[in-house]
Amino acid sequence: MAKARACTSTPLITKADGTEFGKTDGSAIWLDAKMTSPYDFYQFWLNAEDAKVADYLIIFTFRGRDEIAALEERTRDRPAQRDAQRALAEDVTALVHGEETMQRVRAAGQALVGTGNLPAPPNPALCVSG
């Protein structure tokens, strides 16, 4: 008689309060850019809770444990810098939407909070002179 194979499953991904992400509470994100824009996708990961960001880095990125531990320590020491969240947002957005799109949405986010500038449009006719 053949032995039954043990089944493994992926653990449920939860928020810091233990609740799961879901469509009904508005916390669901989609891989399809038509359902969740790349900008919103990036911002979702950038806003990850400090208590969960290391878990998300382990699950959703290819970073090594030592690098994740260093990011977790920097987040604990300087939470306002959001180093781990930025690494998570950049890695997952580049994986899903491509490096170029990630660069564009990161630049847009930085420009919106006053820490960066958007590049000039490629067509000079779109520029406004003042």
Side-chain angles (χ1 to χ4, degrees):
M1 187 176 267
K3 238 183 182 184
R5 280 181 41 164
C7 294
T8 59
S9 62
T10 302
L12 184 63
I13 309 301
T14 60
K15 297 182 271 186
D17 65 5
T19 60
E20 63 185 77
F21 295 107
K23 293 183 289 186
T24 55
D25 70 356
S27 65
I29 58 168
W30 303 90
L31 301 179
D32 185 337
K34 293 175 187 165
M35 308 249 333
T36 300
S37 75
Y39 178 82
D40 289 337
F41 187 86
Y42 181 91
Q43 291 297 315
F44 173 85
W45 298 109
L46 187 62
N47 290 311
E49 300 160 300
D50 292 352
K52 294 296 284 186
V53 70
D55 293 340
Y56 299 157
L57 282 162
I58 291 167
I59 294 167
F60 297 114
T61 74
F62 296 106
R63 291 182 185 256
R65 294 213 181 252
D66 290 343
E67 188 176 6
I68 292 170
L71 286 165
E72 186 175 28
E73 183 177 337
R74 288 201 309 263
T75 297
R76 196 172 34 254
D77 294 345
R78 295 182 307 273
Q81 297 295 326
R82 306 194 65 75
D83 291 336
Q85 285 88 344
R86 266 189 281 109
L88 176 66
E90 290 172 7
D91 287 3
V92 178
T93 304
L95 181 67
V96 173
H97 296 291
E99 181 69 24
E100 185 179 328
T101 297
M102 185 282 294
Q103 297 282 346
R104 285 195 329 260
V105 298
R106 182 179 61 193
Q110 290 170 339
L112 286 171
V113 297
T115 60
N117 297 310
L118 289 174
N123 182 345
L126 299 175
C127 296
V128 176
S129 60

